Amino acid sequence: MKGLRDLSDAARRDLVLGGLTLAVFLAVTVAFPGFAAPRSLAGLLDDTAILILLALGQMLVILARGIDLSVAANLALCGMLAALVDRAFPGLGVAVAIGIASVAGAVLGAINGLLVWKLRLPPIVVTLGTLSIYGGVIYPLSGGAWVNENEMSPAFVAFTRAGFLGLSTLSWFAIVAAIAFVLGLRYLRVARALYAAGGNPEAAACSGIDPGRMQFLAYLACGAIAGLCGYLWVAKFAVAYTDIALGFELQVIAACLIGGVAIAGGSGTALGVVIGCLFIGIIRNSLPLVGISAFWQMFINGVVIIAAVLLSARNRAHVRTILESRAA
Amino acid sequence: MTLVKLMRWESMLGLVLVAEVVLFSSLSPYFLNVDTLSDASFNFTERALIALPLALLIIAGEIDISVAAIIALASVTMGLGAAHGVGTPGLLGLGLATGLLAGCVNGALVTVGRVPSIVATIGTMTLFRGAAYAILGNRVLKEYPGSFAVFGQGYLAGPVSIELALFAVFALAFGLFLHRTRWGRAIYAIGANPVASRFAGLDVNRYKFALFALTGLFAGLAAVLLTSRLGSTRPSIAQGWELEVIGIVILGGVSVWGGKGTIMGVVLAALVFGLVTFGLGLMNIPGIVMSIFTGALLILVVAVPAWLQRR
């Protein structure tokens, strides 16, 4: 039987985070048995689904030593675009709305990726700039107006709420994405190249992987996911306006950090990210039950992020250079 | 390469600034007016004050995303103090102390905890803003004494507001510190090559800790000014400012890779930012449209030299 010490660092981290999440879940359930009721769990997953999708996309970018601050603006722009198209042509159907939002998101992600890849601009500056631009474009696009539920076609709104096996479509998107990421990151050649490019770009380049191209692909995928989430968000809340998801990018990055993705690139698992998102979701949904004001949510997230990054900094210490570890 | 030198940040930003003044004064007759311009300064002085120490921090190769959250926390502390009858000098002290303490937490996480600064300060950003929400919920604190309004609403002389005067004084002080003292040189050295700096006998961690503390202190100062100007505290105060302040610093030509940048550039960038905000407002263009321009400017400012250098 394998002991805890034989596991890889990543697996051990996932195990600890999973255990902690499970412990919180059990503690809340013992006190409030209703928390584990199927309906309550389905609601929790529905609430967390968009965060899971966005965090998985963001993880790809961080793995490739980038960061994408523009995801929330991308989401808002693509969501508005999907809503406007639906308002103008109500008969097009949900598949078209999803297609438009995802392709538009992929284009926005590709812009980020090209600037980082071809001009070698710092990812944080590029995506800070595109965050402003994408967010700003929504206004002239929509004329500053809202698109409300009564202007959307019924199918457009109903799609995310429709149930299958007791879970919403939105939840199924997250479940399918989570499974695809766990398997894909493990078995796909391009995913292994992504880890290699993020872990050691020079070595990756020597073995025939273009680290810049991997960054581009990561931004492309992250953008497409953000675009898709744009449709999902607008349909879930049945409203599109300029400020939707404002500031959500930092929550998404925070979820990645809780999930154990290293900001230095090349390290992190899809399972960890999903558990990290579920942890946030469980805390958020249990606060009202426990009688703590929902306003504590952010504070608790902050404590968890800092604890997580402090622990991972300590675990990393033994692979540091001689010079750095001696100075500690 | 001479083209690159000709197109130094500071001269480019200066040109942008002149173009802005010409454009806005030709578009609106109300623009070139001392009182109007004095009003306009409130658009950027608080953010620009944080941009000064943050520029030093980024030149030293670190970053602080938590500045806006520190403002929120400091504002909440002051609001609670005011509700318990603390006077104006005490409130000033509370705001500055909260900022300094928060900056020290960041500094400790990065130097002692050895957490990458972007990660550490995303964590503390969530923590500080979260604390503000946890303490305040959806309440508003506005029981500030009348004399507290002086910091954000008072004028030093004529049209020169206290905020603007503070910014001018600190811009000069930071410029002299960074460009004329050996500590300033050390900050460049640390940003350019921290390992070599350590071999050269610089206590890199001590510098970094001090810069985080300084950035926190100035976020506290900005909190005093902003709270005093608004006269109220909500937990959402200064939401989104972190990215705007970082935007000013980068627009000012400070390299996010560390080791490069000037205070002159940051000051010019703050003016460009403030004038764009104000000028477009004067022309009834919503702030969100303006963000298209600032975003594009931000990318252009780093893309143009990168593109020139590749040729």
Side-chain angles (χ1 to χ4, degrees), chain A residues 239-250:
Chain A
V239 63
Y241 54 95
T242 321
D243 286 344
I244 61 168
L246 193 68
F248 203 65
E249 63 275 356
L250 293 175

Side-chain angles (χ1 to χ4, degrees), chain B residues 55-128:
Chain B
L56 267 50
L57 193 61
I58 295 181
I59 291 172
E62 302 289 343
I63 197 163
D64 187 346
I65 317 257
S66 71
V67 286
I70 296 179
I71 294 183
L73 191 59
S75 189
V76 167
T77 334
M78 287 186 288
L80 290 179
H84 288 85
V86 177
T88 297
L91 292 179
L92 176 66
L94 266 180
L96 295 179
T98 309
L100 183 64
L101 201 65
C104 290
V105 170
N106 286 333
L109 280 173
V110 173
T111 57
V112 183
R114 299 159 92 218
V115 181
S117 55
I118 185 167
V119 177
T121 56
I122 284 178
T124 52
M125 174 197 77
T126 318
L127 189 75
F128 298 153

Side-chain angles (χ1 to χ4, degrees), chain A residues 137-160:
Chain A
V137 168
I138 302 171
Y139 190 89
L141 189 71
S142 66
W146 292 39
V147 180
N148 290 310
E149 182 165 14
N150 55 13
E151 296 171 278
M152 297 173 183
S153 62
F156 184 90
V157 181
F159 179 71
T160 53

Side-chain angles (χ1 to χ4, degrees), chain A residues 103-180:
Chain A
V103 171
V107 170
L108 299 182
I111 294 173
N112 289 333
L114 283 176
L115 287 169
V116 170
W117 179 22
K118 291 300 180 189
L119 287 178
R120 305 224 176 105
L121 302 183
I124 190 167
V125 180
V126 167
T127 56
L128 190 60
T130 53
L131 154 75
S132 294
I133 298 175
Y134 299 164
V137 168
I138 302 171
Y139 190 89
L141 189 71
S142 66
W146 292 39
V147 180
N148 290 310
E149 182 165 14
N150 55 13
E151 296 171 278
M152 297 173 183
S153 62
F156 184 90
V157 181
F159 179 71
T160 53
R161 298 174 188 175
F164 177 67
L165 298 179
L167 295 173
S168 66
T169 322
L170 192 56
S171 308
W172 282 109
F173 266 97
I175 293 170
V176 170
I179 295 172

Side-chain angles (χ1 to χ4, degrees), chain B residues 78-310:
Chain B
M78 287 186 288
L80 290 179
H84 288 85
V86 177
T88 297
L91 292 179
L92 176 66
L94 266 180
L96 295 179
T98 309
L100 183 64
L101 201 65
C104 290
V105 170
N106 286 333
L109 280 173
V110 173
T111 57
V112 183
R114 299 159 92 218
V115 181
S117 55
I118 185 167
V119 177
T121 56
I122 284 178
T124 52
M125 174 197 77
T126 318
L127 189 75
F128 298 153
R129 177 79 68 183
Y133 270 104
I135 295 168
L136 221 50
N138 51 5
R139 284 187 300 147
V140 185
L141 295 170
K142 47 183 171 186
E143 297 157 65
Y144 292 101
S147 58
F148 183 64
V150 71
F151 302 115
Q153 301 174 20
Y155 288 84
L156 190 70
V160 180
S161 66
I162 290 182
E163 289 200 359
L164 189 60
L166 275 176
F167 175 58
V169 168
F170 280 120
L172 193 65
F174 272 87
L176 290 175
F177 177 76
L178 181 63
H179 301 300
R180 289 283 179 273
T181 68
R182 67 185 178 87
W183 300 292
R185 298 309 302 166
I187 289 172
Y188 281 107
I190 289 168
N193 192 336
V195 177
S197 303
R198 192 177 293 149
F199 277 129
L202 289 174
D203 192 338
V204 173
N205 274 348
R206 184 182 292 176
Y207 273 90
K208 288 187 171 172
F209 184 87
L211 287 176
F212 275 107
L214 191 68
T215 307
L217 181 67
F218 272 72
L221 176 64
V224 172
L225 298 175
L226 180 63
T227 310
S228 155
R229 183 158 66 87
L230 300 176
S232 69
T233 295
R234 287 170 214 273
S236 62
I237 189 171
Q239 190 100 52
W241 277 27
E242 58 279 76
L243 297 183
E244 291 178 24
V245 176
I246 294 169
I248 290 178
V249 174
I250 293 167
L251 194 60
V254 174
S255 161
V256 285
W257 306 129
K260 278 199 197 92
T262 64
I263 291 297
M264 189 62 184
V266 174
V267 171
L268 285 171
L271 292 173
V272 167
F273 175 87
L275 276 191
V276 171
T277 318
F278 183 74
L280 292 176
L282 212 58
M283 288 152 58
N284 282 325
I285 295 177
I288 184 145
V289 177
M290 189 211 77
S291 69
I292 303 176
F293 294 99
T294 45
L297 203 57
L298 194 62
I299 292 179
L300 274 180
V301 138
V302 287
V304 169
W307 184 72
L308 285 174
Q309 247 161 22
R310 278 173 64 86

